[in-house]
């Protein structure tokens, strides 16, 4: 097994992090290469992505088309997509080398050649005010929103911006997307959950639209935005005892009483 360890070069204490990675990889007699996320390389059997969820998202999207699984090592705040932190790295590495892990295939979204694992966020280029957005599904008109924007989210992204905007949490294995208006100006505007086989179009007649993929501005202004399921799936690796519902409870404190009871 040839292992790649990818880190975000803008994080603090980079040299210390590289030293910890090298120590662990050498201790396991692994064939490896360590490199930063702006210099991604191919020809690996397994990838560790070291950083926050943003780093993991970008690394996973790059390796999806290469059919290479990616496991996250959290250096950020929440680390919802991460399996471990840096100081448990060696123990997790031993499990990976022994095959004690599983791969979850996650659906992605595609727009104009860009891919999102979490979400596409569509807003008016004049983002200081609400705008009117028309929603079509499979070229059929559905509704209009007057809102600050629209989030089109995958199940993976349902615990990110989508959740903060009032959207539902979807289990990662659900083959569906969510459509969530941001601060809508009507009480009847509620999130929609639709099959991932549908094609979505967001239109605007009164402004140009901006698009962000997984939090990154695409620098694209258009009046029509068409989004569909990506042609390939992202492969995220987790230890076999990983459980999505445990993660909800441990990282989001889902359903936990504020009194701790």
């Amino acid at each position: 097994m040839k292992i790649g360890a990818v880190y975000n070069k803008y994080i603090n204490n980079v040299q210390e992090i590289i030293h910890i990675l090298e120590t662990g990889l050498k201790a396991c007699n692994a064939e490896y290469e360590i490199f930063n996320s702006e210099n991604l390389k191919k020809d690996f059997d397994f990838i560790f992505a070291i950083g926050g969820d943003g780093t993991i998202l970008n690394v996973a999207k790059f390796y999806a088309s290469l059919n290479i699984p990616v496991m996250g090592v959290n250096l950020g705040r929440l680390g919802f997509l991460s399996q471990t932190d840096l100081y448990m790295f060696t123990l997790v590495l031993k499990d990976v080398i022994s095959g004690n892990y599983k791969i979850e295939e996650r659906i992605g979204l595609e727009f104009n050649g860009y891919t999102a694992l979490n979400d596409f966020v569509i807003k008016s280029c004049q983002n200081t005010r609400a705008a009117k957005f028309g929603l079509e599904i499979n070229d059929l008109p559905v509704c209009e929103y007057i809102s600050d924007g629209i989030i089109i989210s995958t199940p993976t992204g349902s615990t990110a911006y989508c959740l903060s905007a009032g959207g539902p949490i979807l289990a990662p294995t659900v083959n569906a997307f969510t459509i969530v208006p941001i601060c809508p100006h009507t009480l009847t505007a509620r999130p929609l959950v639709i099959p991932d086989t549908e094609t979505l179009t967001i239109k605007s007649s009164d402004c140009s639209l901006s698009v962000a993929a997984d939090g990154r501005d695409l620098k694209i202004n258009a009046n029509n935005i068409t989004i569909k399921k990506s042609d390939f799936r992202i492969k995220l690796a987790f230890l076999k005892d990983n459980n999505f519902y445990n993660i909800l409870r441990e990282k989001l404190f889902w359903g936990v009483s504020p009194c701790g009871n």
Side-chain angles (χ1 to χ4, degrees), residues 80-98:
F80 200 86
L81 296 176
S82 302
Q83 177 61 79
T84 184
D85 59 31
L86 189 63
Y87 299 100
M88 295 292 290
F89 174 71
T90 301
L91 293 176
V92 173
L93 176 61
K94 290 178 180 178
D95 280 325
V96 168
I97 291 174
S98 64

Side-chain angles (χ1 to χ4, degrees), residues 157-174:
S158 69
T159 54
Y161 192 10
C162 173
L163 178 62
S164 299
I169 289 180
L170 302 183
T173 53
V174 174

Side-chain angles (χ1 to χ4, degrees), residues 248-250 252-261:
L248 278 183
R249 187 173 179 86
E250 292 171 3
L252 294 183
F253 301 102
W254 196 257
V256 176
S257 168
C259 297
N261 297 325

Side-chain angles (χ1 to χ4, degrees), residues 48-211:
F48 284 100
I50 298 93
D53 280 344
T55 300
I56 297 167
L57 286 170
N58 291 325
V59 171
K61 285 187 287 187
F62 177 85
Y63 287 105
S65 61
L66 301 174
N67 208 32
I68 299 173
V70 174
M71 180 177 284
V73 180
N74 184 41
L75 294 178
R77 291 170 294 179
L78 185 60
F80 200 86
L81 296 176
S82 302
Q83 177 61 79
T84 184
D85 59 31
L86 189 63
Y87 299 100
M88 295 292 290
F89 174 71
T90 301
L91 293 176
V92 173
L93 176 61
K94 290 178 180 178
D95 280 325
V96 168
I97 291 174
S98 64
N100 185 30
Y101 68 92
K102 62 182 179 180
I103 296 173
E104 293 185 1
E105 294 190 349
R106 305 286 183 90
I107 58 176
L109 295 165
E110 181 179 305
F111 157 68
N112 201 27
Y114 296 96
T115 302
L117 176 54
N118 265 0
D119 52 45
F120 282 111
V121 177
I122 302 163
K123 295 184 177 182
S124 165
C125 288
Q126 301 174 353
N127 57 14
T128 57
R129 64 181 182 88
K132 182 182 291 186
F133 303 92
L135 170 65
E136 293 183 359
I137 298 178
N138 296 335
D139 295 324
L140 298 175
V142 176
C143 64
E144 287 188 337
Y145 297 110
I146 298 176
S147 65
D148 288 352
I150 305 289
I151 303 169
I152 311 297
S153 172
T154 66
T156 300
S158 69
T159 54
Y161 192 10
C162 173
L163 178 62
S164 299
I169 289 180
L170 302 183
T173 53
V174 174
N175 294 319
F177 301 141
T178 58
I179 305 167
V180 182
I182 305 170
C183 300
H185 286 207
T186 171
L187 294 177
T188 61
R190 292 290 183 262
L192 292 176
V193 179
I194 64 172
D196 66 0
T197 53
E198 314 282 44
T199 298
L200 315 175
T201 301
I202 305 294
K203 296 184 175 182
S204 176
S205 59
D206 60 352
C207 65
S208 294
L209 302 175
S210 66
V211 186

